[in-house]
Amino acid sequence: MTRTYRPLAALAAAAAALTLTTSATAAPTVDEPKSPLGLNWTQGTPVAVAAGVTHTTWTETTLDNRAKARILQVVEIDPAVSAVTLESIVGTSDAARETVAAQLSGVSSVADRHPYAGTNGGLFQREPTPIRGEENAVHTSVSATDGVLHSSSCWSGGKGSSGAVIQYGIPYVTKLRTELSLTAPSGETVRLDDINRAPGRAPHCARDERDARVSTTPPVYTDPDEIIAFTDDYGRPVPGVGTDPSVEATKDQGFEVVVDAHGVVTEAREGRGGTTVPVGGRVLQGIGTGADWLRAHLVRDDKITVGQKLHDVTLGREIPLDASVDVVSSFHELLRHGQIPTALPNSCSGSGTEKGTDGTNLICTDSRTALGTNVRGNPVLITLTGQDNEDGEYLGAFAALLDSQELALVDVLNLDGGGSTTLMTGTVVRTPPTNLDEASADGVKVHRQVGDAVYAGVGGYGMYAK
């Protein structure tokens, strides 16, 4: 059918068409404002470390009160290209502190299965031991490898703490809370306070509402009534009385229970410390009312049940602790759904601040490490350092840099930084050593020994497997 327009309507239609055509062809283009990365950094040529693993370096061109240009390094892992995945590792034992190079070398003895790239992982603290220079490593929030928990989450008023759940090679950044329990043969259940650290001494954050802060540098919390479980991943004799003389609760003689791989109690005794955890078993240490509960409820040949739950606070669900799950923890999300969280502090800790080249204004010298995903759904590992020193950025400014459109990042978790920041591709360390060697008197710098690492390696997860 032929439509006949009324003259006025036809004129209006023609005018509208002319307006649309004119505005579409003649409107001036507006350049999108340049990002912090686009303004002040130059991208190097991306290098293929392996099929599906690409390493890109950005070099600072506007120094802004710094003596030397900083280096931003990004490793992208694309499981659609090759059988490559993302994992975490704690090294030879949960209590050991090792360099990232040492941890990654233990992934496989087969050269072709050595990790393609890796960084240091979550935050940790040193736990004193009677042997000088051999402090244990203690994770400061929830950590897990292959579904095995190495520590509990921070309490944070019941809201849990930030972490990345790495499952099937993809990291998911969220808030996490652990729920640990111990059930006696009578059916009575008690709360387990933590895993693989001295009772009475919680590093960096409170584990429940009863923990009280007793130290600021480093942050330490205490509770005189605790039960701690040690697993065979601990890798050392369990800590004894007086682990930290400055924390009164650690002086409690306590009570200790040894459990075999079948959950059967083989020993229940007064005092604690020096015991090696049986393969597949546990050692339970109690102080205060925790020791009283163990005395009253467990004797030799009893069978116990240990409950372990990992809650995704953000989505209100439980994450099954199976062999597909790794967890790396931190305290700050740098990007959430492509936005900088409003609660993110613009803090600088670790190495702290120093005067810049103008001799007046302060700059933050904390190197930075981060883990996240980009708009393609691919995992990324990120470091920010000086060329030959520790020269990073305030936390908020680091997040603003990562928010640049050139990187196309969606969710990013801040990992351990400062002297811990280490990036490797293959067997080559790409970040400078910035930690003073405690055994050297001449100021030699080394890469800090850390609690865990995150790496891209041979795998069959993700899109490739599908």
Side-chain angles (χ1 to χ4, degrees):
M1 178 178 70
T2 302
R3 177 171 296 174
T4 303
Y5 287 93
R6 289 177 296 175
L8 184 60
L11 181 61
L18 180 62
T19 301
L20 290 172
T21 304
T22 304
S23 61
T25 57
T29 58
V30 178
D31 292 333
E32 186 176 351
K34 284 196 173 182
S35 68
L37 199 66
L39 281 171
N40 303 317
W41 299 72
T42 300
Q43 180 182 356
T45 302
V47 176
V49 176
V53 182
T54 305
H55 175 220
T56 304
T57 298
W58 294 78
T59 304
E60 192 174 26
T61 53
T62 304
L63 301 193
D64 192 21
N65 206 25
R66 296 178 185 272
K68 292 184 179 180
R70 293 172 294 172
I71 303 296
L72 178 72
Q73 300 185 73
V74 181
V75 173
E76 181 178 1
I77 300 105
D78 187 351
V81 172
S82 177
V84 62
T85 188
L86 191 75
E87 305 279 352
S88 72
I89 187 173
V90 296
T92 56
S93 72
D94 195 30
R97 292 184 298 114
E98 300 173 321
T99 62
V100 172
Q103 289 181 336
L104 298 191
S105 68
V107 170
S108 177
S109 59
V110 180
D112 289 344
R113 297 188 68 85
H114 190 278
Y116 301 133
T119 66
N120 56 291
L123 297 169
F124 70 98
Q125 274 193 21
R126 300 180 185 185
E127 183 175 81
T129 67
I131 304 174
R132 182 176 175 81
E134 291 190 11
E135 296 99 337
N136 293 333
V138 179
H139 302 281
T140 59
S141 185
V142 58
S143 171
T145 51
D146 298 333
V148 177
L149 287 175
H150 303 298
S151 57
S152 68
S153 66
C154 294
W155 173 241
S156 303
K159 298 177 182 178
S161 45
S162 297
V165 178
I166 304 173
Q167 189 171 29
Y168 306 122
I170 302 297
Y172 161 58
V173 179
T174 186
K175 292 283 188 182
L176 298 167
R177 189 183 73 247
T178 51
E179 182 180 324
L180 310 175
S181 62
L182 174 64
T183 304
S186 64
E188 293 185 67
T189 297
V190 68
R191 179 181 183 274
L192 277 176
D193 290 85
D194 211 339
I195 301 171
N196 293 348
R197 55 98 170 158
R201 186 186 189 278
H204 213 103
C205 65
R207 297 323 197 255
D208 59 35
E209 68 275 16
R210 296 183 295 273
D211 287 359
R213 190 166 185 161
V214 292
S215 172
T216 301
T217 308
V220 174
Y221 291 75
T222 188
D223 180 354
D225 304 299
E226 286 194 323
I227 300 177
I228 304 297
F230 293 86
T231 67
D232 61 355
D233 291 302
Y234 191 65
R236 292 181 179 177
V238 296
V241 177
T243 294
D244 189 341
S246 66
V247 179
E248 188 65 28
T250 69
K251 301 176 184 178
D252 190 316
Q253 296 295 315
F255 194 80
E256 188 170 274
V257 176
V258 182
V259 182
D260 67 16
H262 304 287
V264 176
V265 174
T266 59
E267 293 184 65
R269 55 179 178 242
E270 295 294 334
R272 58 189 178 85
T275 306
T276 299
V277 183
V279 175
R282 290 181 174 88
V283 171
L284 306 173
Q285 286 191 347
I287 60 173
T289 58
D292 294 340
W293 194 94
L294 293 178
R295 287 189 192 98
H297 292 86
L298 298 179
V299 296
R300 187 181 178 92
D301 295 331
D302 276 350
K303 189 164 186 178
I304 67 165
T305 302
V306 175
Q308 298 184 130
K309 292 183 178 180
L310 180 63
H311 296 286
D312 177 347
V313 178
T314 305
L315 295 181
R317 66 185 181 117
E318 184 178 336
I319 299 172
L321 286 167
D322 59 37
S324 69
V325 172
D326 293 346
V327 179
V328 179
S329 64
S330 180
F331 293 106
H332 299 297
E333 297 175 39
L334 299 172
L335 293 177
R336 183 188 302 130
H337 307 316
Q339 301 291 325
I340 300 175
T342 55
L344 181 69
N346 197 26
S347 61
C348 179
S349 57
S351 299
T353 58
E354 64 181 35
K355 291 181 179 179
T357 55
D358 63 6
T360 303
N361 294 305
L362 297 177
I363 59 172
C364 180
T365 60
D366 283 356
S367 295
R368 297 292 180 183
T369 309
L371 164 69
T373 54
N374 60 23
V375 294
R376 291 175 289 280
N378 293 337
V380 290
L381 301 171
I382 305 164
T383 60
L384 175 64
T385 64
Q387 296 182 56
D388 54 11
N389 65 335
E390 186 175 331
D391 197 3
E393 186 57 278
Y394 290 97
L395 197 60
F398 181 46
L401 182 65
L402 299 187
D403 195 30
S404 299
Q405 62 261 30
E406 293 86 351
L407 299 178
L409 299 174
V410 178
D411 294 318
V412 181
L413 180 72
N414 186 59
L415 298 182
D416 193 14
S420 297
T421 293
T422 308
L423 171 68
M424 294 187 68
T425 59
T427 57
V428 179
V429 181
R430 299 291 179 181
T431 47
T434 61
N435 207 51
L436 289 176
D437 185 356
E438 298 173 358
S440 173
D442 55 3
V444 173
K445 292 183 178 180
V446 296
H447 287 91
R448 179 182 292 167
Q449 295 178 325
V450 297
D452 59 352
V454 183
Y455 68 91
V458 177
Y461 296 135
M463 296 172 63
Y464 182 87
K466 182 178 179 181

